[in-house]
Amino acid sequence: MISEETFNYLLYAWIATAIIIFPVLLRITVPYGRHTTNTWGPTINNRLGWILMELPVILVFSWFLFSNGQRLSNAVLVIYSLFMLHYLNRVFVFPFRLRTNGKRMPITIVVFGIFFNLANGFFNGYWLSKYSSTYDNTWFSDPRFIIGIIIFFAGMFINIKSDNKLLSLRKGGKKGYYIPKGGLFNYISSPNLFGEIIEWTGWAVLSWCLPTFSFALWTFANLVPRAIDHHRWYKRRFDDYPKNRKAVFPGLL
Ligand code: NDP
């Protein structure tokens, strides 16, 4: 396997890439969901795209964490389980709840998504397997763990509740797009993306290490530009879109 020094260099490069990519993503609209186009090359079924994109992180994270037979502490197993709680929903439940009527997404997006998830799974699984000896049972009473897990579940709640709300807008065979209302939708256009950012920030706090922080940073870099694109799209699409609604952070942006 690789040395700790090499691992750290790779991780710093990964973090630097997120910082570089953020302003790029602010300038382009990534074409899936409502922004989908075929100008990014061949496309595949949206549902299949989601599964192919997200499945690798479950496999790679688990492989690097468990394959060297190391005894893992309870704290590491909890950190891993919280991650999997989110991704089991994202891979095996969320795609089957989409009411997207055979919508497609560019294969390029799926390839980027797979690459991202391979890297994220590697950094977190490898680090938690090899360098996590400082987590013992006292970690459960550490303020970082307690505050982090509250933030994590608050984010997860917001994310799932908001995704549910959006999916319910097409209940009863309806098609197209509607203005979502109620709860955090009264303040921001994308509470689901806001919730996801909060969730992974909480995960980084409760585990307090660079690889989990890198994932929170990447989530921010991916989802803030996407939420801004969604917000602009809503304003173009609906003349009566609420004027005081922000994109992703209530009262701020
Ligand atoms: P969106 O909000 O664009 O869409 C979610 C679902 O709701 C889609 O099926 C969409 O349909 C539908 N929908 C959205 N708005 C409306 C509306 N106004 N009227 C009717 N239906 C609507 O979410 P994303 O696709 O951007 O993300 C989905 C999930 O994946 C989120 O929970 C997000 O946090 C997560 N995600 C996480 C990432 C990460 O880096 N961690 C990266 C990307 C996503 P349609 O597809 O037809 O637009």
Side-chain angles (χ1 to χ4, degrees), residues 16 28 31 40 48 61 72-73 76 103 108 110 114 127 166 172 178 224 237 250:
I28 60 171
W40 279 40
L48 178 63
F61 193 154
L72 300 166
S73 69
V76 167
K103 194 168 229 167
T108 321
V110 178
I114 290 173
W127 193 90
L166 290 172
Y178 306 87
V224 170
R237 172 104 175 196

Side-chain angles (χ1 to χ4, degrees), residues 32-35 46 50 54 86-87 90 94 98-100 103 116 159 163 166-167 169-170 176-180 190 192-193 196 200 215 218-219 222-223 226 230 233-234 238:
Y32 63 97
R34 78 195 65 190
H35 310 289
N46 182 53
W50 270 105
E54 307 285 17
H86 175 96
Y87 270 96
R90 182 65 75 230
F94 177 75
L98 295 173
R99 296 190 165 107
T100 47
K103 194 168 229 167
F116 169 76
N159 175 253
D163 270 342
L166 290 172
L167 296 175
L169 292 173
R170 292 182 185 148
Y177 292 92
Y178 306 87
I179 300 178
S190 296
N192 55 339
L193 308 190
E196 182 116 12
W200 296 120
F215 180 38
W218 266 100
T219 302
N222 264 327
L223 294 188
R226 183 153 175 84
H230 284 4
W233 179 94
Y234 273 123
F238 298 102

Side-chain angles (χ1 to χ4, degrees), residues 14 17 34 46 56 60 83-84 112-113 143 175 195 205 212:
W14 181 238
T17 311
R34 78 195 65 190
N46 182 53
V60 173
F83 184 95
M84 288 300 152
F112 281 142
K175 294 191 166 89
V205 172
T212 61

Side-chain angles (χ1 to χ4, degrees), residues 3 15 31 45 50 53 77-78 85-86 96 134 145 167 178 182-183 188 213-214 216 225 239 245 253:
S3 70
I15 290 171
N45 176 278
W50 270 105
M53 231 173 9
L77 291 174
V78 168
L85 188 63
H86 175 96
F96 297 98
T134 52
F145 180 82
L167 296 175
Y178 306 87
I188 49 177
F213 168 77
S214 77
D239 292 335
R245 214 177 267 195
L253 175 71

Side-chain angles (χ1 to χ4, degrees), residues 77-130:
L77 291 174
V78 168
I79 293 166
Y80 168 77
S81 304
L82 293 172
F83 184 95
M84 288 300 152
L85 188 63
H86 175 96
Y87 270 96
L88 290 174
N89 172 55
R90 182 65 75 230
V91 176
F92 297 112
V93 180
F94 177 75
F96 297 98
R97 299 182 63 219
L98 295 173
R99 296 190 165 107
T100 47
N101 291 318
K103 194 168 229 167
R104 302 184 69 80
M105 70 162 78
I107 292 173
T108 321
I109 299 294
V110 178
V111 172
F112 281 142
I114 290 173
F115 174 75
F116 169 76
N117 279 309
L118 289 175
N120 192 36
F122 162 72
F123 284 118
N124 285 290
Y126 191 88
W127 193 90
L128 284 170
S129 161
K130 279 198 86 112

